[in-house]
C-alpha cells in the first residue's frame, strides 16, 4: 500500500487496485490542480487499471476545465464518488459526468457502500506492483 499526503489532496493506492483520492475540504478545483493530480496518478499506476474512490466531501467548486483534464485519466475501471449531503451530491454529479462514458461510475454518501460496490469491480484486477522509483 502507498499513501501520499499533499497540501490539497491525498492519495492511497492499495495492492488490490483501489485508488483512493481525497480532495481536501474547502478546496476549489481548477485546471492546474486537476492536471497535477492526473499527472501524479499516471506516475503511480501508468496504464494499469484501478478502481477509484473519489472523496470530495466539502469541495467548494470545480471549473469546467477539470472535466476534460480528469477525463484523460483512463485507467479507471470504476469510479465511486463519495460526498456528504445535497450540496456534495450536486458537485458529485459534475464529477460523475467525467466518467459517464463507461457507465461504471456512481455517487455514494456512505463509504462502506462505495467500497463494496468498487470491490465487485476490482475482483478481476491483477495485484498492483508499485514502482518504487515514483514514490
Amino acid at each position: 500500500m502507498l499513501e501520499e499526503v499533499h497540501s490539497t489532496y491525498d492519495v492511497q493506492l492499495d495492492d488490490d487496485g483501489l485508488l483512493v483520492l481525497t480532495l481536501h475540504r474547502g478546496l476549489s478545483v481548477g485546471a492546474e490542480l486537476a492536471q497535477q493530480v492526473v499527472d501524479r496518478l499516471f506516475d503511480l499506476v501508468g496504464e494499469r487499471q484501478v478502481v477509484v474512490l473519489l472523496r470530495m466531501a466539502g469541495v467548494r467548486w470545480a471549473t469546467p476545465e477539470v472535466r476534460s483534464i480528469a477525463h484523460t485519466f483512463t485507467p479507471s475501471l470504476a469510479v465511486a464518488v463519495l460526498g456528504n449531503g445535497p450540496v456534495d451530491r450536486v458537485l458529485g454529479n459534475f464529477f460523475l459526468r467525467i466518467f459517464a462514458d463507461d457507465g461504471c461510475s456512481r455517487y455514494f454518501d456512505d463509504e462502506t457502500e462505495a467500497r463494496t460496490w468498487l470491490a465487485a469491480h476490482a475482483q478481476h484486477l491483477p495485484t498492483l506492483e508499485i514502482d518504487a522509483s515514483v514514490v
Side-chain angles (χ1 to χ4, degrees), residues 11 25 40-41 46 48 50 57 64 68 74 84 91 93 97 100-101 107 110:
V11 177
R25 288 189 162 286
R40 186 61 188 142
L41 297 181
R48 296 169 293 181
V50 293
S68 61
T74 54
N84 184 5
L91 190 56
N93 283 324
R97 284 190 300 251
D101 294 345
Y107 178 86
D110 179 88

Side-chain angles (χ1 to χ4, degrees), residues 26-133:
L27 185 65
S28 298
V29 184
E32 184 178 333
L33 176 59
Q35 190 63 61
Q36 178 186 5
V37 171
V38 166
D39 290 346
R40 186 61 188 142
L41 297 181
F42 270 121
D43 286 346
L44 293 173
V45 303
E47 294 294 328
R48 296 169 293 181
Q49 286 199 311
V50 293
V51 292
V52 178
L53 174 60
L54 171 60
R55 292 183 184 140
M56 45 75 55
V59 169
R60 291 189 344 203
W61 55 268
T63 64
E65 297 84 12
V66 169
R67 184 178 302 141
S68 61
I69 293 167
H71 194 68
T72 65
F73 185 68
T74 54
S76 56
L77 178 64
V79 178
V81 176
L82 182 63
N84 184 5
V87 174
D88 286 343
R89 183 175 289 277
V90 171
L91 190 56
N93 283 324
F94 170 85
F95 285 106
L96 286 174
R97 284 190 300 251
I98 294 168
F99 307 101
D101 294 345
D102 61 16
C104 285
S105 58
R106 191 169 151 197
Y107 178 86
F108 293 87
D109 55 15
D110 179 88
E111 186 163 343
T112 302
E113 288 178 23
R115 286 177 176 268
T116 300
W117 183 78
L118 286 170
H121 294 279
Q123 56 187 318
H124 302 292
L125 293 175
T127 301
L128 283 176
E129 293 183 26
I130 300 167
D131 183 352
S133 67

